[in-house]
Amino acid sequence: MTRLRLAALTVLGLCFAAPAAMAEQVIKSAVVRVERDVPLPISRLDLPIEDDGFAGARQATRDNSTTGQFLGQKYEMLEVDTTTTDLTATLDRLMAEGVTSIVSIAAADDLLTMADHLAEQPMLLLNASAEEDRLRNDACRANVLHIAPSRAMLADGLAQYLIWKRWSTWLLIHGSHPDDITKAESLRRAAKKFGAEIVEERVFEDTGGARRTDSGHVKVQKQIPVFTQRAEEHDVVIAVDENQVFGLYLPYRTWDARPVAGDAGLVARSWHPAFEGWGATQLQRRFEKKEGRRMTDLDYQVWVALRAIGEAATRAGTADPVALRDWMLSDEFEIAAFKGQKLNFRPWNNQLRQGVIMADEKLVVTVSPQEEFLHQVTRLDTLGFDRPESTCTF
């Protein structure tokens, strides 16, 4: 081989080797869970899962890495527990460690603290847990992308199905905690929006005491029928019980033989371990094989958050958080999340459009939006605050 041919082959080899020698794009994310006191659930089957949300993050990182290895992109994920007191210091530490995306598992006020602290930073912030409507309206933040469905979306999804069933008269029973009161407002709004009538409201006062005892069912069996006695004629009982004080006691115990929905009976949610529609079985099986348990709503929401980052990085070809955020909020962005259609973000409040699953303990009953409810842009915008209804101003 002549020296000229050898030199030419050497140059050609360097050209082909150049992409492999390029710096690898590293997308480093953290899932930050802010600890808070949670009351003991009524059922021992609902005891808290230690890695709830984190397991979904691990699955998303595995899925992102499958594609990333072919594109020179590396996905790293940190699982972080912190407290309200240490929250800002935790965020500073993560930024110093090179984290560019944060998925929040936190209450509404803690999420707002995170958003304000990171407002001037090149950081992606995605809300995977807080459902409060105010976060999408008067208290919205431009740097927060909402993955968790809002309370209004969940209430609207439930209302659409109840109207489709012609169960249009509701007995609304809500708890006495502040979260119950604000959540009840979402149901009132949904009833008005879709033509249901709340014929009566009752408040179940939380008087404290033991939430679970070995003889508790005996006392409840006597209390609940009396509490629901002499209600106005209604088609369905709507339970609003954010703190699991009474809601799960309502089915089969009400004075009148009526179905229960809301926080008991038929529940509106973002995910369900029995959901198999639109290829969801694939995700369920992958998750169960690796994590050894069923996927929860929070696992799914964190999974969607990190997969959205992965999808944006793949399409935009960058690891820069500002560029990723711009892509995620653009018309070009979409993510397949086993909800029957591509999902994207609403530009007026940064909420991810998505369907809402209606299910009981064992099976999925339906998925809203229902076909009969039309919209000039997408039926997904019949759930939650549409653009004309929004009070969010970035």
Side-chain angles (χ1 to χ4, degrees):
M1 182 179 295
T2 66
R3 291 181 179 179
L4 184 60
R5 289 184 62 197
L6 181 61
L9 288 172
T10 300
V11 172
L12 187 62
L14 288 173
C15 290
F16 278 113
M22 290 174 61
E24 188 175 45
Q25 291 181 350
V26 178
I27 297 94
K28 190 170 185 177
S29 304
V31 179
V32 178
R33 181 171 63 186
V34 183
E35 297 176 3
R36 61 191 181 104
D37 292 331
V38 179
L40 191 66
I42 292 175
S43 171
R44 64 182 302 274
L45 300 181
D46 293 329
L47 291 174
I49 300 172
E50 186 174 349
D51 64 348
D52 196 8
F54 289 148
R58 293 192 290 267
Q59 183 61 53
T61 303
R62 289 190 290 267
D63 292 345
N64 284 338
S65 298
T66 299
T67 302
Q69 64 181 329
F70 298 108
L71 301 174
Q73 294 175 331
K74 182 180 179 181
Y75 292 88
E76 298 179 359
M77 188 272 296
L78 303 177
E79 301 175 11
V80 180
D81 273 313
T82 188
T83 63
T84 298
T85 303
D86 297 332
L87 182 53
T88 57
T90 299
L91 297 176
D92 291 338
R93 173 175 61 81
L94 292 173
M95 284 189 287
E97 293 176 2
V99 170
T100 56
S101 302
I102 288 179
V103 177
S104 165
I105 303 176
D109 289 340
D110 289 326
L111 176 65
L112 292 175
T113 297
M114 298 170 75
D116 293 342
H117 189 71
L118 299 173
E120 303 301 323
Q121 302 298 327
M123 176 76 75
L124 262 174
L125 178 58
L126 296 95
N127 166 31
S129 64
E131 299 175 348
E132 283 82 349
D133 292 328
R134 64 187 174 98
L135 297 174
R136 286 85 170 166
N137 283 311
D138 295 340
C140 67
R141 299 292 190 272
N143 63 333
V144 180
L145 277 65
H146 298 284
I147 303 298
S150 67
R151 284 176 174 165
M153 292 170 67
L154 297 171
D156 287 354
L158 178 62
Q160 284 190 12
Y161 179 66
L162 296 181
I163 292 298
W164 182 84
K165 283 289 295 177
R166 301 182 186 275
W167 294 344
S168 59
T169 54
W170 302 354
L171 168 61
L172 178 64
I173 302 176
H174 66 80
S176 56
H177 292 273
D179 284 347
D180 298 324
I181 295 170
T182 57
K183 192 171 184 178
E185 183 56 36
S186 297
L187 272 301
R188 295 187 196 101
R189 173 185 169 276
K192 182 178 180 180
K193 180 176 180 179
F194 296 107
E197 180 185 2
I198 298 175
V199 296
E200 186 178 346
E201 291 191 28
R202 296 188 178 185
V203 179
F204 193 101
E205 296 287 345
D206 184 4
T207 57
R211 294 168 63 86
R212 281 207 331 251
T213 64
D214 56 2
S215 61
H217 65 280
V218 176
K219 185 176 181 181
V220 168
Q221 185 169 324
K222 296 178 180 179
Q223 283 183 331
I224 294 299
V226 173
F227 178 77
T228 56
Q229 189 177 12
R230 299 188 182 91
E232 294 291 331
E233 183 59 33
H234 56 281
D235 297 319
V236 61
V237 177
I238 307 293
V240 179
D241 181 26
E242 188 81 354
N243 295 280
Q244 280 204 23
V245 175
F246 68 93
L248 295 181
Y249 292 133
L250 287 174
Y252 315 112
R253 294 186 175 97
T254 56
W255 184 268
D256 298 306
R258 297 292 185 272
V260 177
D263 284 326
L266 185 68
V267 180
R269 48 196 297 186
S270 65
W271 194 246
H272 192 281
F275 183 55
E276 297 184 286
W278 299 294
T281 305
Q282 301 171 26
L283 176 59
Q284 303 275 26
R285 288 176 176 172
R286 290 201 308 273
F287 181 88
E288 290 163 1
K289 181 178 180 180
K290 289 293 186 179
E291 301 300 330
R293 63 170 177 80
R294 295 168 179 167
M295 191 176 221
T296 68
D297 297 59
L298 185 57
D299 285 320
Y300 173 75
Q301 288 158 198
V302 174
W303 179 85
V304 173
L306 289 174
R307 280 292 296 120
I309 295 171
E311 184 67 20
T314 297
R315 301 299 179 185
T318 180
D320 177 67
V322 176
L324 291 179
R325 181 182 178 279
D326 289 345
W327 182 268
M328 292 167 74
L329 292 175
S330 72
D331 293 337
E332 288 80 15
F333 176 80
E334 56 185 29
I335 180 173
F338 306 102
K339 289 289 183 75
Q341 55 190 299
K342 303 291 186 179
L343 310 182
N344 57 14
F345 289 92
R346 292 172 177 157
W348 58 89
N349 63 3
N350 294 354
Q351 171 67 57
L352 184 71
R353 295 178 169 102
Q354 59 184 294
V356 173
I357 296 170
M358 250 59 61
D360 61 14
E361 182 183 358
K362 296 291 185 183
L363 289 175
V364 171
V365 175
T366 187
V367 179
S368 288
Q370 301 296 310
E371 293 183 359
E372 290 75 14
F373 294 88
L374 304 179
H375 191 276
Q376 62 270 32
V377 177
T378 169
R379 285 191 298 110
L380 291 174
D381 283 346
T382 64
L383 304 180
F385 287 88
D386 200 0
R387 189 189 294 269
E389 304 170 293
S390 176
T391 59
C392 173
T393 54
F394 292 137

